[in-house]
Amino acid sequence: MWQALVLTLFPEMFPGPLAFSLAGRALREGRWALAVHDIRSHGKGRHRTVDDTPFGGGAGMVMRPDVVDSAIAATVPAGDARPLVYLTPRGRLLDQAMVRELARGPGVVLLCGRYEGVDQRVIEARAMREISIGDYVLSGGELAALVLLDACVRLLPGVMGAAESAEEESHAAGLLEYPQYTRPAEWQGRSVPAVLLSGHHAEVARWRREQAEAATRERRPDLWNRLPTHTG
Ligand code: ADE
């Protein structure tokens, strides 16, 4: 079974939204497992201190390497095959290819940082994989961990139905999704594109492809220019 372990100072934030919808049903069905561990329990002294001021000065607090290392040592068995991921805006940008790779594996161990981050030495000593979910700064790694887990879990065997799996193919092609329509066929004077009502499957497929390409070209030139047909 695909096993996720989350190391966090805010264990109450889990499973949170992952208890609902697709991920929640899959969790209850035992298609994946979630363990959550409170880093605070490895804190130092009477106050269970987990952070300290940054060497060299500056704002905020940094999570101590010894505390983070204890949390990992207590929860991750030696030889555990799961990648140890540290969620940070300094990380490599998460994309669908990384999600697919993580979902194919045995699971993930996710370290959620707070404050100004985690001491660099434990990141290196534990060979952590640093991942960002986008070019913006969250107040901690917890929401990023929830995003990563949701993206992975929906790809696990038996989690999505056939209809949803087919939809996945469009993103696999590196394009944005085509627009969707449902009933009523006319709403507030707006009609559904006629081709979608025509019953001509080949024409529907062609129209959707054109729409997906136009949206990608206009909205995401970065994705468009990375398509295989546009390289070399
Ligand atoms: N922690 C704070 N901001 C983050 C981001 N954008 N991605 C991953 N972890 C984060």
Side-chain angles (χ1 to χ4, degrees), residues 40-161:
R40 177 80 54 192
S41 65
H42 302 272
K44 300 293 177 189
R46 199 162 56 82
H47 297 292
R48 297 257 160 261
T49 302
V50 298
D51 56 358
D52 210 326
T53 54
F55 280 124
M61 302 290 269
V62 177
M63 284 172 76
R64 292 172 55 118
D66 49 355
V67 171
V68 171
D69 193 66
S70 296
I72 296 166
T75 54
V76 181
D80 194 311
R82 293 173 295 178
L84 174 50
V85 172
Y86 169 42
L87 284 317
T88 167
R90 274 170 47 86
R92 256 189 66 197
L93 259 192
L94 184 68
D95 63 14
Q96 194 64 19
M98 292 166 72
V99 168
R100 259 185 248 117
E101 182 203 327
L102 291 172
R104 257 201 317 270
V108 283
V109 179
L110 302 178
L111 171 63
C112 302
R114 279 270 151 178
Y115 318 110
E116 303 312 304
V118 171
D119 187 290
Q120 181 66 21
R121 292 166 295 177
V122 69
I123 297 172
E124 292 170 9
R126 289 285 184 174
M128 295 184 199
R129 192 158 158 192
E130 297 178 71
I131 295 181
S132 167
I133 66 158
D135 290 335
Y136 39 80
V137 181
L138 305 168
S139 45
E142 285 78 11
L143 283 170
L146 290 166
V147 166
L148 185 151
L149 289 173
D150 183 90
C152 288
V153 163
R154 60 190 288 282
L155 298 186
L156 298 177
V159 172
M160 275 193 296

